Amino acid sequence: DRFSEFHQSFRDTELMQMIREAGFCVEDVRYMGYVQYPLYGFPDIFDFKLPAWSYRVAGAIDRALEVVPGIRRFSFAIGVRAWKHR
């Protein structure tokens, strides 16, 4: 296994539900990490050298995919901006 026994993956709907149940109001959700994150974020899995320019190209591909409906939810990461209800 590449992750600890504490690692757990969530679907975006599950994550949003947990955040709301904890008393937060979700303001913004950003899906990210399609090409750049798996290629450059896991050197133990992808153990090869890529040219420096490929990092920027992968980032540009990621930014394009972030806005494509239907594809955007297949990201490796989700950024959530939320605020706590008072």
Side-chain angles (χ1 to χ4, degrees), residues 57-85:
V57 171
I61 293 169
D62 279 2
R63 287 186 295 281
L65 292 173
E66 287 174 8
V67 297
V68 178
I71 292 176
R72 58 183 276 173
R73 293 181 68 196
F74 292 101
S75 66
F76 278 86
I78 302 173
V80 179
R81 184 179 337 162
W83 50 274
K84 183 82 170 170
H85 287 288

Side-chain angles (χ1 to χ4, degrees), residues 3-46:
F3 302 103
S4 77
E5 69 271 13
F6 302 109
H7 179 266
Q8 189 172 357
S9 296
F10 298 101
R11 292 178 177 225
D12 59 346
T13 52
E14 295 172 312
L15 182 60
M16 295 307 120
Q17 181 179 351
M18 288 187 293
I19 291 170
R20 288 185 178 105
E21 287 176 356
F24 287 86
C25 179
V26 175
E27 183 176 318
D28 187 41
V29 178
R30 181 176 173 209
Y31 297 86
M32 60 192 107
Y34 301 90
V35 177
Q36 199 175 46
Y37 182 70
L39 281 182
Y40 300 94
F42 296 110
D44 58 324
I45 297 173
F46 296 107

